[in-house]
Amino acid sequence: MTASADQEAELKLDLAHEDADRLEAAGPFPGEPRAIRQHAVYFDTPGRALSEAGFSLRIRKASEGDAIRRVQTVKADGKAAGLFIRPEWERLVADDTPVIDHTTPIPALLGDALDDIVPVFTVENERLVWLHEGIEITLDRTRIVASEREIAFCEIELELKQGDAAALFALAHRIADIVPVRLGIASKAERGYRLLAPVASATKAHRIALDIKMTPAEAFQAIAADCLHHFRRNEPLVLGNRDGAALHQVRVAIRRLRSAMTLFKAMLDEDTRRELNGELRRLAGQLGQARELDVLIERAAPGELRDRLLAAQDDAYGVAIAALDSHRTRMLLLRIAEWTSTGDWRSDAENRDIREIPARDFAVKVLDRFRRKVKKSGRKLEKLDDDARHEVRKTTKKLRYAVDFFAALFPGKREKRRRKRFVAALEELQDRLGALNDLAGAPRLLAALDLLDMPEAADLFGKAHKARLLEHAADAYGNFVDAKRFWR
């Protein structure tokens, strides 16, 4: 029996258990659904070699009526801004023992470690399936058990069987008009592996695996997908726990995504880019005061001022959580995923030359341009006013994000050594400008909260240190200018 290698394209939507019940009761899809009970065992080595290589291996037993079948599936990671596009290899098997042969990539990946493969977690799933206009719609009520931990969740999977991927998003919007849904970013395999890891905490952005064979269009899609993933990994921790570190990472994800839209603007449709960027800026503003108060409270000594800051922090988190939990924000992420995956910018004749050059050539031009902007705007840094220095800081951040985004396109040893030194100089400049920004921002925040006149307020922004901070920032700027470009 041979395995089949196919390309799967699906969109995932997360929803609450009660909303899954409401959606089923609403009967939004024609016909009666097929009901399927599924039990899956996922396999890996004790060191998680398959997961580390970007693959999952499962055997799923599916019961539909009296019929029972077992299917072994190997899947490779792969997503483009919410739309999962990944190769998979399937075959029928007789029992829960994996069949590993040359028809999948696993032997080449594991080599002598093939014999180490063991079960690592199980997935129990109650699935309802509809087929509508070339899309397979599944509503899953799922429980994953890994060692002594487990999770239960509901999700909708929209898998394209025929037609255009834009139809997946059109259907997703229809569903969102019935019940609240969020853009799904995790496969069942990923959720299972999370249970094997330490308890979830705030997650920083990871290095993006761009390939030198990519075009700028493909690079932008990969970067946008990573930013959305970064946002959604941290968002539940803010909603559920008011986690300050996670809130900071949500705001970082927004800045990264906005920066990506700026870095790639030459090939994007400007009207949509401006609209989505404006929505992201609005959302960042709604989250901003909670984060600013987190930083300020860390520096405040016990006393009346700190107590009043804590009360203001509670209100600010209420605003932030309401913003994240709103229909507007949920739809914003879905729209961004839709635009980056299926938007007209991908076929605009005017921008074709930019979209289709090698991603590395595009990166060189972007890095050059933003380095020049930082170099020019940061001259005589100590003489700039607070607003002008803030603009330098924003441009510096965009350059830093560009360096992080494009790092994989410059894999040479010499490039890596230079990048390390360049990043060190850039980080130093960012830190110095950040300290000056905190110095300028604290009085504004305290004034907005009517706390500026309290006796302890001046201790939070220490104007006496400004001259020293300016001197350090100027030195950091000099080090940045002297740092050699790793991309040339």
Side-chain angles (χ1 to χ4, degrees), residues 150-167:
E150 66 177 73
I151 56 169
F153 59 92
C154 293
E155 66 179 0
I156 299 166
E157 294 180 355
L158 307 177
E159 183 174 350
L160 191 67
K161 295 299 185 179
Q162 61 183 36
D164 190 271

Side-chain angles (χ1 to χ4, degrees), residues 135 160 162-169 342 346:
I135 299 174
L160 191 67
Q162 61 183 36
D164 190 271
L168 296 178
F169 289 97
T342 67
R346 299 173 309 125

